[in-house]
């Protein structure tokens, strides 16, 4: 049971870490377009033009 | 991945190929059939620029090219000089373009590659979700209009989107709300984990240190939700308190605040109940419903924006008048005494006086008058009117900012300010509930302080938490959001949140005539023939004479003839047009005249024979030397769904009114055909406005369905308004609802949805009321533990949301 006294604060730190990562990603525009990048990766320049 | 085309389907757009089609493009060595020259041009361009692999990769057909492949109209050049789209100082410019017709992944690839192949374009990136394309280019190498033209040649219509002014605000709002929702969700899930042991453990088995640890952990994780996510509620509550009303946000903020502070005190003291789980869940659920509503309305606003951002009004300015060289300039740049040339079919960009040429002017947009008026040198013409027959030169008398159009806009603003606000009524009712609730909580606190001081504070908080007006405040917005979304899928844009509520209460439905109940375009209603003429031949003779005409009546006759089986194709020679009178020309060696009775009589040499064409129709006569041949009765035809819509509202016991700027006789005639009891013609915009305001003063709730600029003021004044999307863009801006496909029947659909939505809202409110009536006294008597209060609160809101989502399925 004593381990919880370490694990619970750790989990709180993790949550705040996750929030920080989320805000950074959101600032970089990661969530602006959720469909485009998935489509784009399929059509790279390596498709030969004939 | 490639979609195999059906036999005889256009390889580019998938539409059926006409039997006599001769358009085809070799793609990857196979000759592919195309349905129209537009698709052919687009497909050829795609192959020519070496991107035929688009056809292998695509998963859906492209939009039909049709007119999109036309050359860039001169108006597009205007964007080149617009400083908004030029980055100052640097060589690089950036623009955000709205692109229409994106169907699949291959579109993204095709568009980006096409642009990047242009010399000078440095970056192109398309956001699929918003259909927005961000392009960067070097200004010395390429112009914006070149980029737009490049997009048009591959079949996409794009136009500049003023990102700086419009989208930034909206994007920020939705991004902030999304972040707040995420934080609240994360916080909620974690807090649930920490409170679970307290709920699970048997009394006394959880040791005090561990319980304290869990509470402090919950407190820490609730902080981001309170400080960041709950901001909109605290801000809303503060704003409504400053305005001295008790809005819905007040009890929400108070419930959150009291439960949180109470829990903090309990945590600090180490005794008493904590409500961190309820607080975070409450914040999350409320934010989720707000976010859904925002998304639905943003979708609606996006489609509206697209309409408003169509090409800018432009004018052909004759700078060196009386010299004839014209330049295309933005209409806003015109000043008094400029000379502009206006071609047939174009709108007059500004108020002015005709200095050269005679024409007929269509004022339908401004006054509702459906018959074009003849105008000649010296006559004044208001801006916004449409030139219907021949080119004229106009001397501008007022800058665009002071024009008739702007005057109408000011009228609109005035009407907007006087608009009754139904939403305030709802807030007032809610504020009474809130006030009663607050008094009750205080009374509970006072009672328990006297009876059992140790339990006073927990019980008072339980009252606030359990009664948390969650269900009450979710009842309306969640139902409205679901209904708005469902309507959008049918092509009905609900711009204002109060539409459904108000439409359901409407007592009077007021229709405009031209363009609303009628199609707004003249069509041939009847053909009367004389002297052994048959009506098909007469129509084709007339169509031959009108072949090159842009006059709406001419087009109506041509369309009528097109619909008949073709026997022979005639061509007219020696055409002579007299504006406002008619046409004269030679067909197969015979001289014909087509026009009004007096003009035709000059060639026929006698008085016109009797017809019983109705008083509402414009008559056009066809004569040859000494002979009356035919009479075409042309009038504005009713929309096919007009009768159904009027009947629907009448069967619901609503008073249907016809309000028209057109002549009284025409208004009466249409009203009689549709069975509308009250019809008022000859109404100026001010009179329409006054009529609606009189109805409102007598206690009526007025729904207005209109089209055209002259309706904008009255649309604004009506309690709820609809605009047909085929009408002037201006009217749409001031309407509460826009019918995207221009179908009148959609007004009926909206009314049905409004009724369903109100039913759901009533059910929701009834449930919330019953819940509160049971739960609040139970909490006040100290019967509800914290977990029961939390579960009750969550269940009550879940039921409300699920009930609201039923509307989506309709």
């Amino acid at each position: 049971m004593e381990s919880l006294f370490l694990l619970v604060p750790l989990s709180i730190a993790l949550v705040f870490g996750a929030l920080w990562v989320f805000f950074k990603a959101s600032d970089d525009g990661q969530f602006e377009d959720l469909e485009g990048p998935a489509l784009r990766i399929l059509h790279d320049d390596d498709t030969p033009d004939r | 991945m490639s979609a195999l085309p059906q036999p005889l389907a256009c390889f580019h757009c998938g539409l059926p190929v006409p039997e006599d089609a001769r358009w085809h493009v070799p793609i990857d060595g196979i000759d592919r059939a195309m349905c129209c020259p537009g698709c052919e041009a687009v497909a050829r361009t795609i192959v020519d620029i070496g991107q035929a692999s688009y056809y292998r990769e695509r998963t859906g057909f492209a939009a039909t090219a049709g007119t999109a492949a036309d050359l860039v109209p001169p108006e597009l050049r205007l964007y080149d000089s617009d400083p908004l789209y030029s980055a100052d100082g640097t060589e690089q410019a950036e623009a955000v373009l709205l692109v229409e017709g994106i169907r699949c992944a291959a579109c993204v690839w095709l568009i980006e590659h096409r642009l990047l192949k242009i010399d000078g374009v440095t970056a192109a990136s398309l956001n699929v979700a918003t259909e927005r394309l961000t392009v960067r280019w070097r200004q010395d190498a390429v112009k914006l209009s070149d980029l737009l033209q490049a997009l048009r040649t591959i079949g996409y219509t794009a136009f500049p989107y003023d990102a700086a002014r419009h989208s930034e605000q909206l994007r920020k709002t939705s991004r902030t709300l999304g972040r707040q929702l995420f934080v609240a969700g994360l916080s909620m899930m974690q807090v649930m984990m920490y409170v679970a042991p307290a709920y699970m453990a048997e009394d006394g088995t959880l040791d005090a240190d561990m319980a304290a640890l869990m509470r402090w952990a919950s407190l820490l994780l609730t902080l981001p939700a309170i400080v960041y996510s709950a901001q909109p509620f605290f801000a809303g509550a503060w704003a409504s308190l400053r305005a001295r009303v008790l809005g819905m946000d007040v009890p929400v903020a108070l419930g959150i605040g009291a439960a949180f502070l109470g829990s903090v005190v309990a945590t600090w003291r180490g005794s008493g109940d904590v409500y961190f789980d309820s607080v975070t869940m409450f914040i999350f659920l409320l934010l989720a419903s707000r976010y859904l509503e925002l998304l639905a309305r943003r979708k609606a606003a996006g489609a509206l924006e697209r309409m408003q951002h169509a090409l800018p009004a432009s004018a052909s300015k004759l700078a060196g008048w009386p010299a004839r060289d014209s330049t295309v300039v933005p209409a806003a740049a015109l000043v008094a005494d400029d000379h502009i040339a206006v071609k047939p079919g174009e709108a007059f960009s500004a108020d002015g006086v005709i200095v050269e040429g005679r024409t007929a002017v269509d004022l339908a947009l401004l006054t509702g008058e459906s018959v074009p008026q003849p105008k000649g040198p010296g006559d004044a013409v208001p801006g916004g009117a449409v030139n219907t027959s021949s080119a004229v030169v106009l001397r501008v008398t007022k800058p665009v900012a002071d024009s008739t159009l702007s005057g109408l806009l000011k009228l609109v603003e005035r009407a907007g300010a006087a608009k009754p606000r139904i939403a305030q009524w709802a807030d007032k009712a809610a504020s009474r509930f809130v006030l009663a609730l607050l008094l009750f909580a205080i009374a509970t606190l006072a009672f328990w302080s006297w009876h059992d001081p140790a339990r006073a504070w927990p019980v008072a908080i339980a009252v606030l938490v359990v009664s948390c007006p969650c269900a009450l405040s979710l009842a309306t917005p969640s139902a409205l959001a679901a209904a708005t979304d469902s309507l959008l899928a049918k092509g009905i844009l609900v711009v204002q949140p109060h539409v459904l509520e108000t439409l359901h209460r409407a007592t009077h439905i007021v229709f405009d005539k031209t363009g609303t109940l009628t199609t707004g375009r003249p069509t041939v209603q009847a053909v009367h023939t004389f002297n052994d003429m048959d009506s098909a031949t007469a129509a084709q003779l007339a169509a031959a004479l009108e072949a090159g005409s842009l006059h709406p009546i001419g087009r109506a006759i041509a369309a009528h003839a097109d619909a008949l089986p073709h026997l022979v194709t005639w061509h007219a020679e020696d055409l002579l047009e007299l504006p406002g009178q008619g046409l004269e020309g030679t067909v197969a060696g015979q001289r014909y005249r087509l026009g009004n009775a007096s003009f035709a009589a000059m060639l026929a040499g006698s008085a016109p024979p009797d017809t019983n064409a109705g008083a509402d129709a414009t008559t056009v006569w066809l004569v040859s030397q000494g002979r009356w041949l035919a009479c075409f009765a042309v009038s504005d035809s009713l929309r096919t769904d007009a009768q159904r819509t009027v009947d629907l509202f009448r069967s619901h016991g609503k008073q249907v009114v016809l309000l028209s700027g057109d002549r009284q006789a025409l208004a009466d005639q249409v009203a009689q055909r549709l069975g509308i009891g009250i019809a008022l013609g000859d109404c100026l915009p001010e009179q329409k406005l006054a009529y609606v305001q009189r109805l409102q003063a007598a206690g009526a709730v007025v729904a207005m369905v209109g089209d055209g600029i002259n309706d904008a003021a009255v649309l604004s004044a009506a309690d709820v308004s609809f605009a047909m999307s085929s009408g002037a863009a201006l009217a749409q801006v001031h309407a509460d609802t826009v019918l995207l496909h221009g179908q009148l029947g959609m007004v009926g659909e909206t009314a049905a949805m409004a009724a369903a939505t109100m039913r759901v809202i009533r059910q929701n409110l009834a449930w919330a009321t019953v819940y509160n009536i049971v739960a609040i006294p139970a909490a006040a008597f100290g019967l509800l533990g914290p977990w029961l209060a939390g579960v009750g609160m969550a269940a009550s809101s879940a039921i409300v949301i699920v009930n609201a989502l039923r509307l989506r399925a309709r």
Side-chain angles (χ1 to χ4, degrees):
Chain A
M1 283 293 262
E2 280 70 32
S3 61
L4 279 181
F5 287 96
L6 176 67
L7 293 178
V8 167
L10 259 182
S11 71
I12 294 173
L14 257 176
V15 168
F16 280 94
L19 282 181
W20 180 78
V21 169
F22 168 74
F23 271 74
K24 213 168 147 41
S26 169
D27 277 340
D28 290 347
Q30 182 117 75
F31 305 105
E32 305 282 293
D33 182 8
L34 299 175
E35 292 166 58
L39 300 177
R40 214 167 276 135
I41 201 163
L42 294 173
H43 301 283
D44 220 88
D45 276 341
D46 45 8
T47 314
D49 280 341
R50 259 167 294 165
Chain B
M1 287 258 294
S2 76
L4 289 174
Q6 298 289 311
L8 279 180
C10 174
F11 191 71
H12 180 72
C13 71
L15 291 179
V17 176
E19 278 180 29
D20 54 348
R22 53 193 185 283
W23 304 286
H24 46 81
V25 177
I27 297 169
D28 287 342
I30 305 167
D31 228 17
R32 302 289 192 179
M34 299 286 155
C35 67
C36 60
C39 285
E40 185 189 36
V42 168
R44 182 148 291 151
T45 310
I46 291 174
V47 173
D48 287 351
I49 60 174
Q51 307 203 344
S53 55
Y54 161 73
Y55 288 105
R56 291 194 300 274
E57 304 283 358
R58 66 180 183 176
T59 52
F61 287 114
T64 186
T67 53
D70 287 353
L71 286 176
V72 175
E75 284 87 345
L76 279 186
R77 294 269 164 210
L78 293 178
Y79 288 126
D80 293 341
S81 59
D82 195 332
L84 272 173
Y85 306 108
S86 313
D88 37 9
T90 62
E91 287 183 345
Q92 295 261 325
E94 187 180 275
V96 179
L97 308 177
L98 271 177
V99 185
E100 285 180 345
I102 296 170
R103 301 285 175 86
C104 69
C107 294
V108 178
W109 173 83
L110 180 64
I111 288 174
E112 289 179 357
H113 278 237
R114 177 71 190 99
L115 287 179
L116 288 173
K117 283 205 170 186
I118 298 174
D119 199 27
V121 175
T122 52
S125 122
L126 179 68
N127 184 327
V128 181
T130 56
E131 299 185 345
R132 263 155 230 183
L133 174 72
T134 312
V135 210
R136 289 182 68 80
W137 71 95
R138 289 202 320 276
Q139 280 181 291
D140 50 342
V142 67
K143 287 198 162 58
L144 180 56
S145 56
D146 300 331
L147 305 183
L148 296 176
Q149 177 155 25
L151 285 175
R152 284 194 178 211
T153 55
I154 53 169
Y156 299 94
T157 315
F159 34 83
Y161 176 80
D162 187 352
R165 260 184 288 171
H166 298 280
S167 75
E168 200 54 29
Q169 187 64 39
L170 207 61
R171 211 167 52 89
K172 255 189 196 148
T173 318
S174 98
R175 185 195 263 194
T176 308
L177 199 55
R179 285 174 170 201
Q180 286 169 336
L181 184 65
F182 181 87
V183 171
L186 199 63
S187 160
M188 174 185 76
M189 289 189 290
Q190 286 303 313
V191 170
M192 290 290 171
M193 307 279 248
Y194 296 137
V195 298
Y199 288 146
M200 306 284 200
E202 307 267 319
D203 271 347
T205 55
L206 190 67
D207 71 43
D209 283 351
M210 191 56 66
L213 174 69
M214 294 300 182
R215 287 177 170 195
W216 280 103
S218 315
L219 169 63
L220 265 178
L221 286 176
T222 309
L223 269 179
I226 292 284
V227 173
Y228 184 67
S229 301
Q231 271 173 5
F233 308 116
F234 290 121
W238 177 237
S240 74
L241 281 181
R242 263 207 322 211
R244 288 168 199 285
V245 277
L246 283 173
M248 269 300 193
D249 277 339
V250 174
V252 171
L254 206 71
I256 294 172
F260 180 70
L261 288 179
S263 307
V264 170
V265 170
T267 308
W268 185 258
R269 283 211 201 131
S271 66
D273 295 319
V274 293
Y275 302 93
F276 294 122
D277 53 334
S278 307
V279 170
T280 48
M281 185 159 65
F282 183 35
I283 295 173
F284 176 76
L285 286 174
L286 268 183
L287 281 178
S289 86
R290 287 200 182 186
Y291 190 67
L292 283 180
E293 199 192 348
L294 182 86
L295 284 189
R297 272 208 268 126
R298 190 164 92 147
K299 240 190 250 170
L304 254 192
E305 264 165 26
R306 216 165 302 162
M307 280 180 235
Q308 289 169 25
H309 281 80
L311 294 171
S314 63
S316 307
K317 184 174 161 187
L318 305 173
W321 174 260
R324 292 276 166 178
D325 346 313
S326 70
T327 44
V328 176
V329 298
L334 292 174
V335 294
D337 292 331
D338 274 350
H339 285 84
I340 54 172
V342 184
K343 292 195 212 84
E346 282 182 355
F348 292 90
S349 326
D351 288 10
V353 175
I354 294 180
V355 291
E356 189 187 276
R358 305 195 72 88
T359 186
V361 174
D362 184 354
L363 297 171
L365 229 54
L366 295 161
T367 64
E369 173 72 58
S370 61
V371 180
Q373 306 290 304
K375 300 274 180 190
D379 287 341
V381 180
V386 177
N387 182 7
T388 58
S389 62
S390 53
V392 292
V393 175
L394 195 76
R395 183 169 54 79
V396 176
T397 49
K398 283 183 201 161
V400 172
D402 304 332
S403 67
T404 310
L405 215 79
S406 313
L408 276 167
L409 269 174
K410 281 170 199 147
L411 194 64
V412 166
E413 277 161 23
R414 206 178 64 206
K419 186 167 191 157
R421 286 267 162 241
I422 310 298
Q424 285 171 1
W425 173 85
D427 256 9
K428 221 180 253 171
S431 77
R432 297 218 182 96
F433 172 81
V434 172
L435 189 66
L437 182 67
L438 295 182
L439 292 176
F440 186 74
I442 292 170
T444 314
L445 185 68
F447 170 79
W448 282 93
S449 302
W450 163 76
H451 182 71
D452 182 0
R455 295 184 63 191
W457 193 237
V459 167
I461 289 173
V463 167
L464 275 178
V465 169
V466 80
S467 77
C468 247
C470 194
L472 269 183
S473 54
L474 282 176
T476 317
S478 59
L480 289 180
T484 307
D485 212 39
S486 165
L487 285 175
L488 186 64
K490 293 180 186 165
I492 304 163
L493 290 184
V494 177
V495 185
Q496 298 287 337
H498 72 86
V499 167
L500 296 170
E501 188 187 347
T502 317
L503 181 62
H504 186 61
R505 294 190 300 116
T507 53
H508 287 65
I509 312 285
V510 180
F511 288 97
D512 175 45
K513 186 180 75 71
T514 313
T516 304
L517 286 175
T518 66
T519 56
R521 283 186 311 273
T523 44
V524 174
Q525 301 288 332
V527 184
H528 305 273
T529 52
F530 321 101
N531 295 326
D532 297 333
M533 192 71 190
D534 77 283
S535 63
T537 314
Q540 275 154 28
L541 276 172
L545 289 167
E546 292 279 12
S549 170
L550 284 170
H551 193 284
I553 290 182
R555 282 199 300 252
I557 291 178
H560 175 72
D562 273 350
L564 297 168
H566 278 263
L567 305 172
V568 226
T569 309
W570 278 305
H571 292 286
E573 289 151 1
D574 305 332
L575 271 175
L576 190 71
E577 180 170 359
L578 280 98
Q581 306 218 43
L583 288 159
E584 187 178 331
T586 307
V587 179
Q590 178 90 23
R591 200 78 187 142
Y592 292 98
R593 269 190 177 192
L594 181 71
N596 64 23
S598 57
F599 174 72
M602 281 188 272
L603 189 67
S606 58
D610 257 357
T611 58
N612 40 4
D616 60 319
T618 307
T619 49
V620 180
W621 300 83
L622 178 71
V623 295
S624 63
Q625 189 76 50
R627 282 208 318 165
W628 291 90
L629 297 174
C631 170
F632 300 89
V634 178
S635 69
D636 199 1
S637 64
L638 286 178
R639 280 183 193 269
T640 46
D641 41 11
Q643 185 72 59
R644 194 157 47 83
T645 308
V646 168
D647 287 349
L648 178 83
F649 283 113
R650 270 159 41 105
S651 71
H652 287 174
K654 312 214 179 209
Q655 183 75 56
V656 180
V657 180
L658 178 73
L659 214 53
S660 176
D662 218 336
R663 281 169 295 156
Q664 181 70 46
L666 295 189
D668 280 341
Q669 219 251 346
V670 168
Q672 197 192 350
R673 262 204 284 174
L674 293 174
I676 297 175
I678 307 172
L680 288 134
D682 300 313
C683 286
L684 294 173
E686 294 86 348
Q687 291 169 321
K688 289 187 179 182
L689 181 60
Y691 178 79
V692 166
Q693 284 171 342
R694 257 204 318 281
L695 282 180
Q696 284 171 332
V701 178
V702 180
M704 171 86 202
V705 189
D707 169 37
I709 296 174
N710 57 323
D711 286 330
V714 69
L715 284 178
S716 236
D719 295 292
V720 57
S721 55
F722 291 82
M724 318 287 284
S725 76
S726 45
L730 204 66
Q732 289 159 11
V733 178
H734 296 283
D736 303 325
T737 317
V738 180
L739 307 176
L740 276 184
H741 306 317
Q743 288 169 325
L744 190 61
M746 287 298 156
V747 183
E749 291 274 338
T750 315
M753 182 56 94
T757 310
M758 287 305 123
R759 203 159 51 234
V760 165
I761 289 178
R762 270 200 303 272
Q763 287 163 354
N764 280 352
L765 287 176
W767 156 250
T769 312
V770 169
Y771 167 80
N772 279 316
I773 286 175
V774 174
I776 296 176
F781 286 116
L783 298 176
L784 287 183
W787 68 273
L788 206 58
V791 166
M793 190 274 290
S796 69
S797 38
I799 287 174
V800 162
I801 289 180
V802 169
N803 193 26
L805 286 180
R806 287 190 309 135
L807 287 170
R808 261 174 199 269
R810 279 177 61 93

